[in-house]
């Protein structure tokens, strides 16, 4: 690997730029869908298909990163995000818009396992702290993207947000080309083979399968409670677009605050124990959101939810490095694939239960998450 970009910091900055792009385009996408005429059911269905596409893409992209190197999947993912966001800025057709949003998520899925595996390659420690540092930068990008999305959309419209997203994705692709390009790896296409390798590592590892079940149930609960936050904020809490972007960025700020200290704690207590605490805390706080009206209380809850969320990713990445040191990108891609495929059901369930009361997706999601906690407690 030719690493000309300063190692972990360079990688983290690259991912941060892409994350700004991703969240500028997608933070308020459910409001965009609503504004172009989609019903709550169609919004939920669209996001279900989007997460399903992410899951399928993750399975093959992780194996591809182990086969061809880390730079190619990252470069492809960023270019796909740039092209999709650019085209999205010129359409209000519901089907085409949903397809382009799907491709933005697929771009993220293609890059993500490769980037996480590169964190492991660079740090070569097997600890949670390098992942915490990486996710710290990624979360900074998320905060910037979420805050900017509301401001840009309210002031200049969706087209401006999508064009900015496209430009930033292109910048991230250039950063990969300059800093992390690997000239020596095999570049042959093997889509089916990569998918088969992803399936194989999941089939051969019982612990990984159990972890996938637990995190899939957790993912269903998360998507049910998180996806429709912007709709509740607009319909029930009467917030404008910039305020919605602000509360989402406060969630990310909590994530940022918790990332480094919780990474240190994870190194001390272990990834599985941290995930148990994460799932338990998630059900304790997710259900509250639709019952709150006061802006300061909403902000406080979002901050807490962000801190709870910071328990998750470094812990699960630490576990995966321990499970498969040789094929870490394949393991990451396989786990992400299964969890996103199953958790995509949460978006559909949220859309189906929205009409029963806007609080129902949040409460039901918290209950389903508890089932994931039970599976995690039984894992050996």
């Amino acid at each position: 690997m030719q690493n000309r970009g300063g190692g972990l910091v360079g990688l983290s900055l690259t991912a941060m730029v892409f994350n700004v792009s991703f969240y500028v385009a997608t933070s308020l996408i459910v409001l965009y869908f609503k504004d172009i005429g989609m019903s709550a059911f169609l919004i939920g269905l669209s996001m279900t298909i989007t997460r399903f596409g992410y899951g399928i893409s993750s399975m093959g992209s992780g194996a591809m990163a182990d086969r061809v190197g880390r730079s190619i999947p990252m470069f492809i993912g960023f270019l796909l995000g740039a092209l999709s966001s650019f085209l999205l800025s010129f359409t209000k057709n519901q089907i085409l818009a949903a397809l382009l949003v799907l491709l933005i998520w697929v771009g993220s899925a293609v890059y993500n396992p490769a980037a996480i595996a590169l964190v492991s390659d660079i740090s070569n420690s097997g600890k949670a702290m390098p992942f915490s540092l990486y996710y710290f930068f990624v979360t900074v990008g998320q905060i910037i993207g979420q805050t900017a999305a509301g401001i840009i959309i309210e002031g200049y419209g969706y087209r401006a947000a999508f064009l900015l997203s496209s430009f930033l994705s292109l910048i991230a692709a250039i950063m990969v080309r300059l800093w992390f390009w690997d000239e020596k790896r095999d570049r042959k296409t093997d889509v089916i083979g990569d998918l088969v390798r992803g399936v194989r590592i999941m089939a051969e590892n019982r612990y990984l399968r159990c972890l996938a079940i637990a995190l899939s149930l957790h993912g269903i609960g998360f998507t049910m409670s998180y996806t429709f936050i912007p709709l509740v904020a607009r319909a029930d809490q009467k917030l404008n677009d910039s305020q919605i972007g602000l509360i989402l960025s406060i969630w990310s700020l909590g994530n940022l605050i918790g990332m480094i200290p919780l990474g240190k704690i994870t190194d001390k207590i272990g990834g599985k124990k941290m995930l148990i605490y994460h799932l338990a805390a998630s059900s304790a706080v997710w259900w509250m959101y639709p019952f709150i009206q006061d802006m300061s209380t909403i902000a406080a809850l979002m901050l807490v939810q962000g801190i709870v969320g910071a328990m998750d990713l470094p812990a699960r990445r630490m576990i995966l490095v321990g499970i498969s040191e040789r094929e870490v990108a394949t393991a990451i891609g396989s786990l992400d694939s299964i969890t996103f495929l199953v958790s995509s059901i949460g978006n559909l369930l949220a859309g189906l239960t929205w009409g029963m009361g806007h609080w129902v997706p949040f409460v039901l999601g918290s209950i389903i998450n508890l089932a994931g906690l039970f599976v995690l407690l039984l894992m050996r």
Side-chain angles (χ1 to χ4, degrees), residues 208-219 335 338-339 342 371-372 375:
L208 187 59
R209 292 197 305 273
C210 291
L211 185 63
I213 293 171
L215 292 178
S216 294
L217 292 168
H218 171 62
L335 182 68
I338 296 300
T339 55
V342 178
V375 173

Side-chain angles (χ1 to χ4, degrees), residues 309-379:
M311 299 176 178
D312 185 1
L313 289 176
R316 74 167 75 183
R317 300 317 184 196
M318 179 185 180
I319 291 173
L320 288 175
V321 172
I323 289 175
S324 182
E325 294 181 358
R326 289 181 55 211
E327 296 181 292
V328 62
T330 305
I332 291 167
S334 297
L335 182 68
D336 285 353
S337 176
I338 296 300
T339 55
F340 266 81
L341 287 172
V342 178
S343 66
S344 65
I345 298 169
N347 296 107
L348 184 58
L349 289 175
L352 289 171
T353 57
W354 175 257
M356 299 168 60
H358 296 175
W359 58 271
V360 175
F362 295 83
V363 173
L364 183 57
S366 297
I367 294 171
I368 293 173
N369 179 67
L370 288 176
L373 173 61
F374 181 73
V375 173
L376 201 58
L377 288 169
L378 292 178
M379 281 174 52

Side-chain angles (χ1 to χ4, degrees), residues 9-21:
V9 173
L11 173 62
S12 301
L13 287 171
T14 303
M16 183 183 77
V17 171
F18 177 73
N19 235 34
V20 174
S21 162

Side-chain angles (χ1 to χ4, degrees), residues 188-348:
K188 294 178 181 178
T189 302
D190 188 13
V191 175
I192 301 301
D194 290 338
L195 285 169
V196 169
R197 276 185 285 275
V199 172
R200 174 187 54 77
I201 196 170
M202 182 67 69
E204 292 176 352
N205 195 303
R206 180 180 176 276
Y207 191 90
L208 187 59
R209 292 197 305 273
C210 291
L211 185 63
I213 293 171
L215 292 178
S216 294
L217 292 168
H218 171 62
I220 291 173
F222 174 77
T223 55
M224 290 191 72
S225 63
Y226 186 79
T227 302
F228 281 5
I229 282 177
L231 293 184
V232 171
R234 176 186 279 184
D236 301 329
Q237 296 163 337
K238 309 304 180 186
L239 303 184
N240 59 37
D241 289 349
S242 62
Q243 288 174 318
I244 296 170
L246 176 62
I247 64 169
L248 291 176
S249 69
I250 290 172
W251 185 92
S252 299
L253 177 62
N255 210 255
L256 186 74
I257 291 170
M259 195 64 68
I260 299 297
L262 287 169
K264 293 180 180 179
I265 295 172
T266 301
D267 279 331
K268 292 181 180 179
I269 68 175
K272 180 185 174 183
K273 187 172 289 187
M274 181 58 78
L275 282 180
I276 289 172
Y277 294 154
H278 169 63
L279 266 66
S282 294
S283 281
V285 297
W286 283 351
W287 65 273
M288 300 180 188
Y289 181 79
F291 300 104
I292 298 173
Q293 296 296 321
D294 177 66
M295 182 62 180
S296 61
T297 309
I298 293 171
L301 179 63
M302 296 300 278
L303 187 69
V304 171
Q305 288 189 346
I307 293 171
V308 170
M311 299 176 178
D312 185 1
L313 289 176
R316 74 167 75 183
R317 300 317 184 196
M318 179 185 180
I319 291 173
L320 288 175
V321 172
I323 289 175
S324 182
E325 294 181 358
R326 289 181 55 211
E327 296 181 292
V328 62
T330 305
I332 291 167
S334 297
L335 182 68
D336 285 353
S337 176
I338 296 300
T339 55
F340 266 81
L341 287 172
V342 178
S343 66
S344 65
I345 298 169
N347 296 107
L348 184 58

Side-chain angles (χ1 to χ4, degrees), residues 47-65:
M47 295 310 297
T48 294
I49 294 171
T50 294
R51 292 183 71 87
F52 193 87
Y54 184 103
I56 291 291
S57 304
S58 294
M59 181 71 78
S61 64
M64 179 173 65

